[in-house]
Amino acid sequence: MTSSEVPPVRWRASIGLAVGGGGPVSSIVESEHGSEGSAREWIERKLPRTRFPAWIPAARRADGVELFGRVARGHVVTGRLVPTWESDTDTAVWHADRAGDRVQWRRCAAEPDDG
């Protein structure tokens, strides 16, 4: 790929941990997809069955540690030592919350890259 070529658009689906309402966020697993629909389907399959990592004790879970899903549009920048994900900062992001064995979606404003 030459420097003038734009990498193809991808959708990154991720399942992460959030601590409290505005606390730190950490990604557990990520998957890249060729369409938004495919990324959302992946979240809908995986998120309800995802378990907390063993290193988070049950007592901490009661303190507001939550699992959530996220789908963001962007692309992978290659040509660097390590390929890097870059979100489209002008595109809304889908957030998914677990609701039993289902997922509830909400569309949010774009977020800065978190790697």
Side-chain angles (χ1 to χ4, degrees), residues 23-46:
V25 174
S26 176
S27 182
I28 296 174
V29 64
E30 298 173 337
S31 179
E32 289 184 19
H33 301 266
S35 72
E36 180 182 297
S38 175
R40 289 181 57 168
E41 287 173 10
W42 185 86
I43 292 287
E44 289 173 356
R45 272 193 329 272
K46 298 288 185 182

Side-chain angles (χ1 to χ4, degrees), residues 70 89-95 107-112:
R70 178 178 182 260
T89 57
D90 59 344
T91 305
V93 175
W94 284 102
H95 280 267
R107 199 156 173 104
C108 301
E111 302 167 341

Side-chain angles (χ1 to χ4, degrees), residues 16-19 26 28 51-67:
L17 288 167
V19 180
S26 176
I28 296 174
R51 303 289 176 240
F52 284 95
W55 53 266
I56 298 179
R60 282 293 294 158
R61 296 175 203 162
D63 290 340
V65 176
E66 297 182 27
L67 290 165

